[in-house]
């Protein structure tokens, strides 16, 4: 299988602004031969990522990649897996932010075909790390403020 790639230059400022407005409004519809097509989640995510990069004024390179290796087998017994929407709702964050966290490897993700699945335990672990980081920052702020007080 040969890989091919194509580089598209950055859009002109006028087109960049129009694309930013459309993305902000959630106006993303794909037409194929004049028919509106609802993309599967993986394809939609890839298209939105591409459009977002173009809206930021960046040139992009498209290429084909080798198929991803298979996910490791799941441990015995039921493991509750969440969709990205369910995991985002459980964490109280946006779907896009959750996808960014999984893309960065901050929250582990398993793929079922092109669909991401996330263990609830991994969401809870990330939330706990965020709470610990906030507590550490608050403790650091409290130490800094007490040193500034007149009685110290």
């Amino acid at each position: 299988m040969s890989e091919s790639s194509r580089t598209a230059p950055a859009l002109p400022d006028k087109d960049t602004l129009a694309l930013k407005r459309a993305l902000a409004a959630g106006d993303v519809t794909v037409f194929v031969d004049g028919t509106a097509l609802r993309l599967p989640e993986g394809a939609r995510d890839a298209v939105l990522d591409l459009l977002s990069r173009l809206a930021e004024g960046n040139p992009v390179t498209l290429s084909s990649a080798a198929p991803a290796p298979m996910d490791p087998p799941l441990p015995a017994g039921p493991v509750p897996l969440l969709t990205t929407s369910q995991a985002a709702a459980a964490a109280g964050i946006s779907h896009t932010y959750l996808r960014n966290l999984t893309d960065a490897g901050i929250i582990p993700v398993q793929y079922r075909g092109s669909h991401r699945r996330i263990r609830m335990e991994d969401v809870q672990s990330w939330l706990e790390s965020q709470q610990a980081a906030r507590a550490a920052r608050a403790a650091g702020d409290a130490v800094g403020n007490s040193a500034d007080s007149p009685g110290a």
Side-chain angles (χ1 to χ4, degrees):
M1 177 169 122
S2 67
E3 291 188 20
S4 62
S5 64
R6 175 181 171 276
T7 299
L11 296 174
D13 288 342
K14 173 184 76 146
D15 293 339
T16 298
L17 292 172
L19 183 54
K20 277 185 184 179
R21 280 193 299 272
L23 289 172
D27 184 17
V28 180
T29 305
V30 176
F31 288 91
V32 177
D33 293 329
T35 302
L37 175 66
R38 182 181 183 106
L39 296 176
E41 183 180 13
R44 184 194 69 230
D45 292 347
V47 169
L48 287 174
D49 182 43
L50 168 74
L51 293 174
S52 296
R53 292 169 192 249
L54 287 169
E56 293 301 318
N58 297 319
V60 296
T61 299
L62 303 173
S63 67
S64 299
M70 297 213 21
D71 288 334
L74 294 173
V79 176
L81 295 175
L82 306 174
T83 64
T84 51
S85 295
Q86 292 168 327
I93 58 176
S94 74
H95 186 259
T96 302
Y97 186 56
L98 179 85
R99 282 196 324 265
N100 290 341
L101 292 172
T102 62
D103 288 345
I106 295 169
I107 295 180
V109 64
Q110 297 176 15
Y111 286 89
R112 298 293 178 263
S114 62
H115 300 279
R116 300 170 203 231
R117 295 295 181 258
I118 301 160
R119 295 179 337 139
M120 185 60 192
E121 293 82 14
D122 293 328
V123 173
Q124 289 170 331
S125 177
W126 177 77
L127 285 170
E128 289 167 5
S129 71
Q130 294 300 299
Q131 289 171 343
R134 278 193 296 276
R137 282 193 304 271
D141 288 345
V143 169
N145 289 339
S146 66
D148 294 337
S149 64

